[in-house]
Amino acid sequence: MGAITLGLAACSRVDDGGNGGGGDGGGQADTGLLDRLREQGFVNVGLANEIPFGFVDGDNDPAGQSPAVARAVFEELGVPEIRANPVAWDGLIPGLQASQFDVIAAGMFITPERCEQVAFTEPTATSPEAFMVAAGNPHGIRHFTDFADNPDLRLAVLNASVEQDYAEHFGAENLELIPDQTTGYELLESGRVDAVSMLSVSHHYLLQDRGGDFDVTEPFFPEIDGQEQKGWGGLCLRPAETALLEEMNRVIAEFTENGRLLELGEEWGFTEADLPDGTTTAELCEG
């Protein structure tokens, strides 16, 4: 990762969706967390309704690439069920810290500032950036710099996301901070914004799911200080849960080696190009 700094809305308050939580917040390690999850038979996961990384389907069940990985990992660890706790994007880390759920399964990118607040597993997927725009891309939007060059253009980004920080880094000022992907889609549909910034795979899957007279621009990885910003997402735990993190990383390594990680992502539009390339969480946390 480059030198970009991520702002997190750590004071946000979120609802626990009625499923309860677990663990001990950010304090002393709960060495029995995995045993407790096995005993209760499920783990609560936080997600932010971003298709196809992590969202709630029509039956209110967790769906998407990140929950699929979480479900498979915990099945291997003897926990047969995951339960969804949907919150706004900027409520994910506060919700984990407040023990409203035990795992974030939202495809959250691993960044140095986030590493100070949560513990990430090893990477499970990546995707380049893109913009969803009106059909034909009437404003010729290709990059975050286009919004700095034309301040009248309005861009929707998830609050506390890497896209928000990319936009601000490149000088975009006319930003609409949104809590979830659906809000961005509706703002674009109503003409209140000119583009929505998210990962390319998110846009394509949303259009496949909902349709609409929109286009998705060519995917790209922004460059900052000459370095390509190729972000990697992983599952998140509270920092004290070192024993559980070690077990989850063991299973993720097996899935990466035997091809299961690819199988879990293919349903959601992820390809071999989106799989881990050997970059480690320790390297991403260092920046």
Side-chain angles (χ1 to χ4, degrees), residues 73 120-123 244-254 281:
V73 167
F120 283 94
T121 65
E122 291 302 318
L244 178 55
L245 180 64
E246 183 177 347
E247 283 295 283
M248 292 174 68
N249 277 332
R250 177 182 61 79
V251 176
I252 289 171
E254 292 175 359
T281 293

Side-chain angles (χ1 to χ4, degrees), residues 136-215:
N137 195 5
H139 299 290
I141 294 168
R142 294 283 184 268
H143 196 280
F144 294 102
T145 54
D146 294 321
F147 298 91
D149 295 338
N150 184 352
D152 291 331
L153 293 178
R154 296 155 297 173
L155 176 63
V157 295
L158 287 171
N159 191 29
S161 66
V162 293
E163 287 80 17
Q164 177 184 350
D165 289 280
Y166 290 152
E168 292 173 349
H169 174 85
F170 288 106
E173 297 181 354
N174 200 353
L175 301 181
E176 184 76 28
L177 302 183
I178 55 175
D180 53 48
Q181 184 182 28
T182 300
T183 301
Y185 179 95
E186 293 171 349
L187 288 174
L188 183 63
E189 190 174 43
S190 67
R192 292 172 58 189
V193 299
D194 300 293
V196 181
S197 175
M198 286 187 186
L199 300 176
S200 177
V201 68
S202 297
H203 291 315
H204 282 292
Y205 204 94
L206 181 62
L207 285 182
Q208 177 183 324
D209 182 60
R210 295 192 57 169
D213 197 18
F214 305 121
D215 286 338

